[in-house]
Amino acid sequence: MYSNYTFDGGSYRHKELIELVEDLGGYVISKYILSNEATITFTVPSPDMPRIEVLAKELGGKIKNTPLLGTEIAVVTPTLTRHHLPHPLCDIAEFLRRGGANTNMIGLARGTGRRTAQISQRERDLIEEHDVAVVALGNFKRCIDEKIGIFLDLNVPLVISALPYPYEVSGCEYVPRMGKFPYKFKQIGELKILDEISSAVERCLNHRREEIMLDPPVVPPFVVKDEIEQQVEEAKYIMSPGGIALRLNGLRVKLPFDVCSDAILQVRVAGFTVGEICTIERSRLHNHILLDMRPRSMVESAFESTMQAEKISVLGEV
Amino acid sequence: MTVYVESEDELGALAMKLLTEDVITNLAISRSVVDVREYIDLEVPIFYIEVVPTKRIPRVEVKDVLTVKETGTGCFDVEIVNERYAPQLLELMWSEFGEDNVHQIERNRLKLTKINLEDIMNLPIGEMKKNELMTVIRDMIFRIVPIGFRVIRNLSNDDKIAYIASENPILDEQIQWIEDNVLSRQPRELSIDRTELIPERETKPRRIVTYKEDII
């Protein structure tokens, strides 16, 4: 079982850490070197972690557990206006990023009002591309009662935050006391609310991880990421930050779908091609490439049936 | 300045009060506003806001803002002393005297032609400060009014700036009901305060260090 961590420390001798991670069978997910500072996120088998900790101590750096690493989370707000957006949403997104997640902030085009609030099919598809959606609603219980309906039927694990308490919603995680406040959270009592949101997201992800582990993919997504980076020439020149973003059960490759999808399907991973172990889709976000890992049973049955078909054709020729 | 917010949902009303206070602080008009009163009816839904501005707004005189020097018959060199009003003044002069007669030579220097001195001294700039404040107050109101409430009616008069907003059509009966049942009485204070919104910090007992220990 792999666990995710972040190393914060000096850039001097950071290559030793990377080498050790790779020797232990782990993967470096991202590496940011800013002058003398290095921030490296990586995943390693859990039993080998003490060895990394020893090296990190020797290098004078800190190791932080980042449970949300390798996930993509949508932070959804009714609109992108100042009435809904700046402070609480940025706080939520920042706290999720501290946990290692990639966050995308999504404002609905017609999410304002109580009776008039709407969500379009395109927005729905866009939110459902993510692993978890965090929806930040407002202050009044009565308004939330009516407005919450447009989000509840999203086909994605949902965390809803709003001010009213006590308040119960079925079918999602609800975090109270997080209303439409006009300031950034600073006090310890306030930061606790953000921690609650982060742990609610973690619970949703763990639930999803358990589902995936019932029939896991052939290789974890970060292995596919590593191979794409090595085998696809265009992947080396992606200008977007975090060129290949990890999702819980797949990847988002920030390359144009029409140009690069064929090259990515041909990448070889553990004896298979990406086309065999993943389904490929066009993202609603900037035409990116979305890869979803197929479960192991599906890949193996497909492999066996092709082998049988090959055998039959060979026998026919004989 | 006092902010009153009334609603059946007190928690939401308290959050709205914080929002209002913060917007007023951000726009730096807390000394120019006497009272703010909001009423939120969640059934309809309807949002009413009224702001009473201060009456002590000084009038602006031309001599405070401009220094005028006559350079020929009907020609004047005008210097804008208080640059705060420069954009409004220039716009006003262009509309009063025509763009051909008002030339901006430098950032705060103008050259006027074919104009009488009296015309310059009689420029209607007395209400400029008041108008500026009213604009800021309106900006404040539209930062507070819920963004989805697009149906807005202006109920302002000489004493106050008041707006009513809803996402449904606003009926005269609804306005009358608010006037009769809400505005006719004194505003009510909220029964909860800020500690209800944010959970209190758990404080650990502090160890008191004696003077001697501190030295050691």
Side-chain angles (χ1 to χ4, degrees), chain B:
Chain B
M1 181 203 66
T2 41
V3 178
Y4 300 100
V5 183
E6 294 171 67
S7 171
E8 63 193 60
D9 185 346
E10 286 224 309
L11 201 65
L14 179 60
M16 210 52 159
K17 188 181 173 187
L18 288 179
L19 178 85
T20 309
E21 285 171 351
D22 199 81
V23 169
I24 290 171
T25 314
N26 280 351
L27 293 171
I29 51 167
S30 52
R31 293 177 70 184
S32 312
V33 171
V34 179
D35 265 340
V36 180
R37 189 171 180 182
E38 290 164 29
Y39 173 73
I40 303 151
D41 191 336
L42 296 167
E43 283 295 318
V44 181
I46 219 159
F47 182 89
Y48 173 83
I49 181 167
E50 72 171 41
V51 180
V52 181
T54 179
K55 288 188 175 167
R56 289 173 297 173
I57 306 168
R59 281 180 65 82
V60 183
E61 302 286 334
V62 174
K63 61 184 180 186
D64 301 335
V65 186
L66 303 175
T67 52
V68 186
K69 200 189 281 178
E70 194 163 2
T71 52
T73 46
C75 295
F76 297 92
D77 253 4
V78 174
E79 192 179 351
I80 301 171
V81 183
N82 194 342
E83 277 190 55
R84 192 177 168 192
Y85 304 109
Q88 293 100 313
L89 266 174
L90 198 61
E91 206 170 301
L92 186 67
M93 283 184 185
W94 277 338
S95 66
E96 291 279 321
F97 309 135
E99 288 192 24
D100 296 337
N101 299 331
V102 181
H103 307 283
Q104 189 176 15
I105 305 162
E106 281 177 26
R107 189 163 50 88
N108 58 345
R109 273 187 63 215
L110 308 173
K111 194 175 180 183
L112 310 185
T113 49
K114 299 176 193 169
I115 294 164
N116 296 328
L117 183 63
E118 276 181 18
D119 292 340
I120 301 172
M121 299 315 275
N122 291 336
L123 276 171
I125 62 168
E127 301 284 299
M128 200 178 268
K129 205 160 190 175
K130 191 181 174 187
N131 293 344
E132 195 186 25
L133 177 65
M134 294 305 154
T135 312
V136 180
I137 289 177
R138 281 196 191 91
D139 182 24
M140 169 205 133
I141 288 172
F142 289 108
R143 285 184 190 203
I144 295 167
V145 173
I147 184 87
F149 287 15
R150 299 281 166 86
V151 184
I152 296 171
R153 276 173 72 170
N154 188 351
L155 307 175
S156 307
N157 56 33
D158 292 343
D159 300 328
K160 65 186 183 189
I161 301 177
Y163 282 87
I164 191 163
S166 176
E167 58 180 357
N168 303 320
I170 300 168
L171 307 173
D172 289 336
E173 295 89 69
Q174 288 167 342
I175 298 172
Q176 194 59 46
W177 188 90
I178 289 175
E179 278 175 4
D180 294 345
N181 296 292
V182 182
L183 304 180
S184 57
R185 60 173 165 76
Q186 284 295 311
R188 288 177 192 145
E189 291 276 355
L190 292 170
S191 62
I192 55 173
D193 64 355
R194 199 166 175 232
T195 52
E196 297 282 330
L197 287 179
I198 307 299
E200 276 190 33
R201 175 184 175 178
E202 289 167 15
T203 48
K204 288 177 187 170
R206 277 188 176 178
R207 184 172 152 266
I208 298 165
V209 180
T210 59
Y211 178 67
K212 274 186 179 175
E213 268 183 76
D214 196 28
I215 293 289
I216 291 161

Side-chain angles (χ1 to χ4, degrees), chain A residues 180-196:
Chain A
K180 221 166 63 174
F181 290 123
Y183 55 87
K184 278 194 82 101
F185 278 5
K186 289 175 205 138
Q187 295 172 17
I188 289 180
E190 295 168 331
L191 298 181
K192 241 182 192 175
I193 303 167
L194 297 171
D195 280 333
E196 274 174 38

Side-chain angles (χ1 to χ4, degrees), chain A residues 7-213:
Chain A
F7 169 82
D8 275 317
S11 59
Y12 172 66
R13 287 171 68 192
H14 76 275
K15 284 186 180 169
E16 286 179 34
L17 181 87
I18 292 172
E19 272 173 26
L20 182 63
V21 168
E22 285 169 356
D23 290 348
L24 294 171
Y27 289 87
V28 173
I29 291 168
S30 67
K31 185 180 84 173
Y32 297 105
I33 310 289
L34 282 169
S35 70
N36 292 331
E37 299 292 319
T39 305
I40 301 166
T41 57
F42 58 92
T43 179
V44 283
S46 309
D48 296 327
M49 196 49 210
R51 296 185 65 179
I52 303 267
E53 278 168 357
V54 170
L55 180 66
K57 203 175 176 185
E58 201 183 311
L59 298 179
K62 280 181 192 168
I63 294 279
K64 197 172 68 177
N65 188 11
T66 41
L68 306 181
L69 194 71
T71 59
E72 201 174 37
I73 293 163
V75 183
V76 184
T77 167
T79 53
L80 282 177
T81 57
R82 66 171 163 232
H83 293 75
H84 287 113
L85 188 71
H87 306 97
L89 262 284
C90 290
D91 280 339
I92 293 173
E94 188 189 328
F95 254 66
L96 295 175
R97 282 197 298 274
R98 281 187 199 179
N102 277 333
T103 56
N104 290 325
M105 213 175 266
I106 298 169
L108 305 184
R110 293 175 190 275
T112 59
R114 193 166 88 183
R115 179 182 56 81
T116 51
Q118 295 170 26
I119 184 168
S120 70
Q121 189 57 45
R122 187 171 178 274
E123 288 162 344
R124 200 176 283 272
D125 293 342
L126 189 59
I127 295 168
E128 285 174 0
E129 280 177 12
H130 296 79
D131 296 319
V132 177
V134 180
V135 180
L137 294 177
N139 299 338
F140 292 97
K141 198 172 183 178
R142 178 72 196 275
C143 300
I144 292 162
D145 281 339
E146 285 194 27
K147 205 164 177 174
I148 210 166
I150 64 168
F151 299 105
L152 284 178
D153 57 345
L154 284 170
N155 189 19
V156 64
L158 204 62
V159 177
I160 290 180
S161 70
L163 185 67
Y165 66 91
Y167 188 76
E168 282 182 13
V169 200
S170 57
C172 70
E173 291 266 355
Y174 177 74
V175 182
R177 294 171 187 269
M178 182 79 206
K180 221 166 63 174
F181 290 123
Y183 55 87
K184 278 194 82 101
F185 278 5
K186 289 175 205 138
Q187 295 172 17
I188 289 180
E190 295 168 331
L191 298 181
K192 241 182 192 175
I193 303 167
L194 297 171
D195 280 333
E196 274 174 38
I197 292 177
S198 195
S199 50
V201 170
E202 208 181 317
R203 280 197 296 278
C204 288
L205 288 170
N206 287 342
H207 187 66
R208 181 90 183 87
R209 275 190 190 116
E210 281 168 18
E211 280 177 7
I212 293 168
M213 288 314 288

